[in-house]
Amino acid sequence: GIVVGILQQITGINAVFFYAPMIFEQSGIGTNAAFMQAALVGLVNLAFTVVAMVLIDRFGRRPLLGFGLSGIAVCMLLLAWAFVGADDSNPRLILFAILGFVASFAVSLGPVMWVLFSELFPNRVRGVAISFVGLVNSATAFLVTLVFPWQLQSMGSATTFLLYGLFALAGLVFVMRILPETKGRSLEELEAALVRT
């Protein structure tokens, strides 16, 4: 559970949400267009969160996480590539990659993490465990948001987004190899399965 809580943040979601206008402005589109595109990010997030709510019980948690983390990785790697030639960045590709990233996040890590937390922890520790993982998630969000401007300045946009993409790939491996599917399983079944692993 704690790995998913950290993973949700180290793929860069709050950096993108809080600094979207700055990211878009770096692509060379101008301030007004940057703010319009940032508003579009919020609408895409809302729409794909609703999609996740519809699909989570139909497809399961792991498939949504796998699909979403794959999309996050691809979009972050595209974003890194779009910023490699910073003087010649492609604003359309940057917009596409960020919207794809937000859609992938909103259909997976965003809402699925909270569903997993309610299903992975045994009843006797659930309240404390969810609170602790929520604290770790918030602390990670704070650190990512705090460090992001420094990363852009010292490492550059391309390397920063490449790093987020690599975190998403590592998370994809973790989810597909270790995280159990919780859909349709009782808390007792999950507890027994987690004790064995």
Side-chain angles (χ1 to χ4, degrees):
I2 199 163
V3 174
V4 177
I6 292 170
L7 183 62
Q8 188 198 52
Q9 296 301 323
I10 63 171
T11 53
I13 191 63
N14 281 330
V16 168
F17 278 158
F18 296 151
Y19 296 102
M22 185 176 81
I23 295 167
F24 288 130
E25 203 167 345
Q26 281 187 347
S27 75
I29 62 164
T31 305
N32 289 340
F35 279 104
M36 288 300 293
Q37 290 182 357
L40 191 56
V41 165
L43 291 174
V44 166
N45 183 48
L46 175 64
F48 280 88
T49 300
V50 171
V51 169
M53 290 167 53
V54 170
L55 298 180
I56 195 164
D57 282 329
R58 185 175 302 160
F59 291 109
R61 287 70 166 137
R62 277 184 60 196
L64 278 185
L65 286 173
F67 172 78
L69 282 164
S70 298
I72 288 168
V74 166
C75 290
M76 279 298 172
L77 296 175
L78 261 178
L79 202 51
W81 184 63
F83 274 110
V84 167
D87 296 335
D88 190 29
S89 62
N90 182 337
R92 282 195 182 103
L93 180 59
I94 291 168
L95 177 63
F96 173 80
I98 286 182
L99 294 179
F101 163 73
V102 170
S104 298
F105 179 89
V107 83
S108 63
L109 272 175
V112 173
M113 179 192 80
W114 297 105
V115 173
L116 278 173
F117 287 176
S118 70
E119 297 172 338
L120 282 175
F121 299 113
N123 283 335
R124 65 183 181 281
V125 297
R126 181 171 298 132
V128 172
I130 290 174
S131 298
F132 177 72
V133 177
L135 175 68
V136 170
N137 177 268
S138 296
T140 307
F142 172 76
L143 288 174
V144 168
T145 307
L146 183 71
V147 169
F148 183 70
W150 172 84
Q151 283 179 295
L152 288 183
Q153 191 170 30
S154 62
M155 298 166 60
S157 299
T159 305
T160 299
F161 295 124
L162 174 64
L163 191 60
Y164 291 151
L166 293 175
F167 284 141
L169 286 174
L172 179 61
V173 170
F174 169 81
V175 164
M176 292 296 120
R177 288 193 166 198
I178 297 171
L179 191 73
E181 175 57 71
T182 59
K183 175 189 167 207
R185 296 175 76 182
S186 71
L187 296 174
E188 292 75 21
E189 285 176 309
L190 285 168
E191 188 171 355
L194 290 170
V195 168
R196 272 183 273 138
T197 55

